[in-house]
Amino acid sequence: MSIGSRPFHYTRAIVRHIPDTLADNALRMNEPASPIDLERARQQHANYVCQLRQLVPDVLVLPGDDSQPDCVFVEDPVVVCGNVALVCRMAPESRRSEAAVLKAAVESLGLLTVEMTEPALMDGGDVLFTGREFFVGLSSRTNQDGVEFLASVFSQYKATSIRVLDSLHLKSLATMAGDDVIAIADNPAGRQTWKDISHLAAFQYTPLWIPDFGAANVVYINGCILHRSSREFPASAQVFKSLNCPTREVENSELSKVDGALTCCSVLIN
Ligand code: CIR
């Protein structure tokens, strides 16, 4: 189960197309101020996939399914670490059937799978892997049994529960943005999250404070940071651009209306 010494170097990714039912039926914490523009969502997602293709040699694109309105958010049904994929038991009934699709996909790529069982619940969006240890959000989607299940599957790493405040997932507030660097939303929930992570961590990390809540979720992939665009979040984009690290930007205005961030649209495999 070892992932070797380069945890954020990936050779493959899995994504899924946006189904027609997303705009009306995808889950959401709040009704968005403006309706979802499905065509724009698809353009933004196509650009995201295009950026991924430039960073990862092999991108597997799965079809969407109208009976699974949230299926584009492939990060949630499966957590991959090394050659093992933990197939999550998701809290929302409307998302449960996504797991079988992702399980078949990761198995087709040769990964070993372990299926989470009752009473454990988990969304991959709550799982922050630093390359050294796991932090797992306790949220409306993930319970302590879920954290313990993950800890038993990836037993070579420490797994620590972090309470998620005012957000859907832990990774809405905190994501990796470099080796041992964690991008954190500079708001009360983000500051508390950093306090908890830094207090409970087995290793040392540097916080990268992100002024806009919607921009703290980034994909750190093969030495590059994929982040929300300057047009959407100029101050936050500036923070990423000032780092000594290649960056790429994508817009995500439409999927963010149903709480979709950047990490949630891909499963990354190394
Ligand atoms: C949901 O509520 O499940 C979806 N509308 C959004 C999931 C976003 N997932 C993620 O950030 N990992």
Side-chain angles (χ1 to χ4, degrees):
M1 286 199 198
S2 167
I3 58 159
S5 57
R6 306 181 83 203
F8 304 106
H9 284 73
Y10 303 98
T11 53
R12 287 181 295 196
I14 302 174
V15 299
R16 258 188 110 174
H17 283 310
I18 296 175
D20 290 341
T21 48
L22 175 123
D24 289 334
N25 300 123
L27 300 173
R28 59 207 74 190
M29 291 178 80
N30 303 111
E31 228 12 80
S34 60
I36 293 166
D37 178 335
L38 198 57
E39 195 182 325
R40 191 157 178 228
R42 285 188 166 131
Q43 280 163 5
Q44 292 177 343
H45 185 256
N47 184 39
Y48 173 90
V49 175
C50 178
Q51 299 286 345
L52 274 188
R53 282 191 194 285
Q54 290 173 36
L55 293 164
V56 182
D58 190 1
V59 179
L60 173 62
V61 183
L62 303 175
D65 180 336
D66 284 345
S67 72
Q68 299 173 342
D70 284 294
C71 67
V72 66
F73 304 122
V74 288
E75 170 182 67
D76 293 321
V78 70
V79 174
V80 174
C81 186
N83 64 342
V84 175
L86 171 59
V87 182
C88 297
R89 186 167 168 267
M90 299 179 71
E93 281 293 334
S94 69
R95 297 203 61 186
R96 287 260 165 99
S97 61
E98 294 171 36
V101 178
L102 267 295
K103 179 173 188 278
V106 293
E107 283 177 346
S108 77
L109 298 177
L111 274 73
L112 305 172
T113 53
V114 180
E115 283 193 65
M116 187 171 266
T117 51
E118 235 176 323
L121 291 170
M122 176 168 283
D123 270 8
D126 276 318
V127 180
L128 176 66
F129 181 57
T130 70
R132 303 177 185 278
E133 60 189 313
F134 286 97
F135 296 102
V136 186
L138 290 178
S139 67
S140 60
R141 303 290 178 87
T142 299
N143 62 13
Q144 185 59 33
D145 296 297
V147 182
E148 281 159 25
F149 201 101
L150 176 138
S152 72
V153 172
F154 301 117
S155 56
Q156 69 275 46
Y157 298 107
K158 185 180 176 207
T160 303
S161 307
I162 301 288
R163 194 153 296 281
V164 174
L165 304 168
D166 302 333
S167 314
L168 180 62
H169 290 132
L170 178 60
K171 281 193 286 193
S172 318
L173 293 161
T175 52
M176 298 312 291
D179 294 348
D180 299 328
V181 176
I182 304 181
I184 312 255
D186 194 359
N187 65 8
R191 287 192 284 275
Q192 184 59 47
T193 302
W194 172 247
K195 249 191 207 169
D196 294 344
I197 287 179
S198 52
H199 180 65
L200 297 168
F203 296 89
Q204 283 210 327
Y205 305 99
T206 305
L208 179 69
W209 294 105
I210 306 304
D212 303 287
F213 164 70
N217 180 288
V218 303
V219 186
Y220 177 51
I221 174 173
N222 295 352
C224 181
I225 297 173
L226 188 60
H227 63 85
R228 294 287 294 273
S229 68
S230 318
R231 206 165 80 151
E232 296 172 296
F233 295 114
S236 297
Q238 198 45 47
V239 172
F240 296 116
K241 288 192 192 314
S242 65
L243 300 172
N244 188 18
C245 177
T247 58
R248 286 167 183 260
E249 45 178 80
V250 283
E251 293 194 3
N252 191 44
S253 62
E254 300 313 296
L255 293 182
S256 67
K257 292 175 184 172
V258 286
D259 310 311
L262 299 185
T263 58
C264 62
C265 292
S266 51
V267 177
L268 301 175
I269 300 169
N270 54 12

